[in-house]
Amino acid sequence: MSVSIATRKKAESLRDQIRHHNHRYHVLDDPEIPDAEYDRLLRELVALEAEHAELVSADSPTQRVGDTPLSAFGTVQHELPMLSLGNAFSEDELRDFHRRVLDRLELDDQAELIYAAEPKLDGAAVSLMYENGVLARGATRGDGTKGEDITHNVRTIEAVPLRLIGKGYPARLEVRGEVFMPKAGFEAYNAKARAAGEKTFVNPRNAAAGSLRQLDPKLTAERPLDMYAYSIGVAAGGHLPTRHSEIIDRLRDWGIKVCPERCVVNGVEGCLAFYRSMGERRNELSYEMDGVVYKVDSLQMQAELGFVSRAPRWAIAHKFPAQEELTVVEDVEFQVGRTGAVTPVARLKPVFVGGVTVSNATLHNIEELHRKDVRIGDTVIVRRAGDVIPEVASVILDRRPKGTRRIQLPKNCPVCNSHVVREEGEAVARCTAGVFCAAQRTEALKHFVSRRALDIEGFGAKLVEQLVATDRLKTPADIFQLSSGELAELDRMGKKSADNLMRSIQASKSTTLARFLFALGIREVGEATAASIAAHFGSLDNVVAATEQDLQSVRDVGPVVATRVKSFFAEAHNLEVIARLREYGVVWPESDPIEATEDGVLFGKTFVITGTLPTMTRDAAKDLIQSAAGKVTSSISAKTDYLVAGEKAGSKLSKAEKLKVAILDEAALLDLISR
Ligand code: D41
């Protein structure tokens, strides 16, 4: 049967689109569409080709996975191809895979079949060649046959050992793994870029791939990258175990980082149990996963199974629901937060992403909105990763309808009509009315009653909104003057729930200083900072009386936080609210301030610790420095007095050298303290 012209055209169009997206993804590190959309295109083409074998051309993207490397780097020919991974998008597809494995191995349904199961990290695959235990070369996967030489860049990653430890490793050993940016590093990097008005990364995978392909290794060094090994390539001159899981254990013994969440499981049920357990833990783990991978554990069986078109028959990736999807922006509104920040929010055509239906997504701030140039009517990629608020990651310009307009920052607060200002060098615009703006008041009150603050059970957002709207709540102190009768008259409230609420209000009065400070909602004072300040000063009066200098001696408190705290307590109306709260019976245990240990030998000195110290952990070194009244911070600046550097010190060491910061090893630190 011959293929119709329409079908041919369809296949050709799919191929063109897929080639285009391959180029955006692999060469430019700048994908236009979410993976889920790409997968749909590819699957449509695969299905078409499966139906009409004569449509398969040698240059069809289905015949090749990956893309040609960028020419700026040297090319590396992989001695053994870096295979790709097939995907299963459902339990049924996984069962089909397992069935095929059993059939090929001529095993029956009941036979034991051990799989090595591991998270599928969302980063960039790399090859690391160790010669006599020394890192000789690093390369990207590229198209699986040829990659790019990124030796200088991988050398800056602290997780990549420059030399293997222990013994028994092959004279030539190629370690393969995934370089990724942990979630916290990704969020912190983007938050910083956003505040500085710079381009943010769309997702952690792009962040990793883009960072690895920086032409200047110093830039790579600044990115918080990590790596887990997932297999080996070349291994010559040495003996290796005969199971995948044991090889990974060996790599770990030789100092290579491997994923701690890996597991050996039996059969398809074992795989599914692992999938479910990882799915549940997806949000709590420090790295991004887009699924899990199962590999037949026995190398003997792997050899029997072989591979087809560059993907092993013995391994498969079982994908999680996508965290990025396409949808349309129906409107853009501006919301006013607790600190007055005016945040643009996109109202979306509802879309199922990251396991829930999303109809609102943050656009962060006006600067970012303008950089991404999101407009009403645009088709956008929404991303919802774990507990993070859904965001508009990017716009698909090709799909922009005619007649759209750039969105402008409102001149006046959408809630109280006061002026909105954007300070020099700040990405965020703010309503200038402070607590006189109902939106800021509402948000401040929601924060005050929230679980981690005063924790008033049953005092929900809707209740706060009603009470603010009717002017019964103006400040947190007003909460303690509410009467049961008054509450009982509110929407969705009866006598019983009003009484319950009164009881929780009463119970919340006895709290801790840390909670109370956090509840006040001072800008930049999060839970951890509030706890540090409370522990340091012991009583509220001490905190109120503290100078900026005093405040800066608290762990985690820098000049910005110190200024915010000081100016908060300089406002008469804030002190008045606090006085009323105390008058109505809000109490907490107070204690003496921690003695200012000015006599410690390291007083006034700031330290940064990096790398692996010979005898102590970094935490132990930190405790030691603090016990001698020294301060330990996490990043090097001109204000750093000493860098304590161990092995694999990485980027901080080079930065310290550049800034001429004194560098100590562990012995020199101990010397300094004992002097
Ligand atoms: O975590 C990963 N991204 C990961 C990727 C993993 N855990 N295991 C993998 N195993 C393989 C085979 C089975 C071919 C050794 C992989 C990949 N491949 C892979 N990464 C990119 C393309 C293929």
Side-chain angles (χ1 to χ4, degrees), residues 83-85 118-121 125 141 178 230-231 293 295 312 314-315:
L83 300 176
S84 61
L85 265 177
E118 59 202 37
K120 181 166 185 296
L121 297 153
R141 176 171 175 274
E178 193 86 356
Y230 64 69
S231 77
V293 187
K295 300 171 186 176
W314 43 266

Side-chain angles (χ1 to χ4, degrees), residues 51-88:
E51 218 176 302
H52 311 281
E54 58 271 55
L55 276 181
V56 186
S57 59
D59 65 346
S60 172
T62 56
Q63 304 305 298
R64 193 173 76 129
V65 180
D67 215 311
T68 23
L70 200 70
S71 54
F73 293 93
T75 312
V76 167
Q77 177 86 36
H78 296 299
E79 287 173 49
L80 296 172
M82 288 183 80
L83 300 176
S84 61
L85 265 177
N87 286 319

Side-chain angles (χ1 to χ4, degrees), residues 569-617:
F569 291 115
E571 293 278 350
H573 66 92
N574 288 334
L575 293 176
E576 201 178 303
V577 171
I578 292 171
R580 278 179 63 208
L581 284 166
R582 297 180 103 168
E583 185 187 321
Y584 301 150
V586 176
V587 289
W588 53 84
E590 300 212 318
S591 61
D592 290 330
I594 293 175
E595 275 308 307
T597 47
E598 297 200 8
D599 44 42
V601 286
L602 302 184
F603 180 73
K605 298 285 181 232
T606 303
F607 291 74
V608 173
I609 312 171
T610 188
T612 314
L613 302 176
T615 73
M616 48 180 150
T617 63

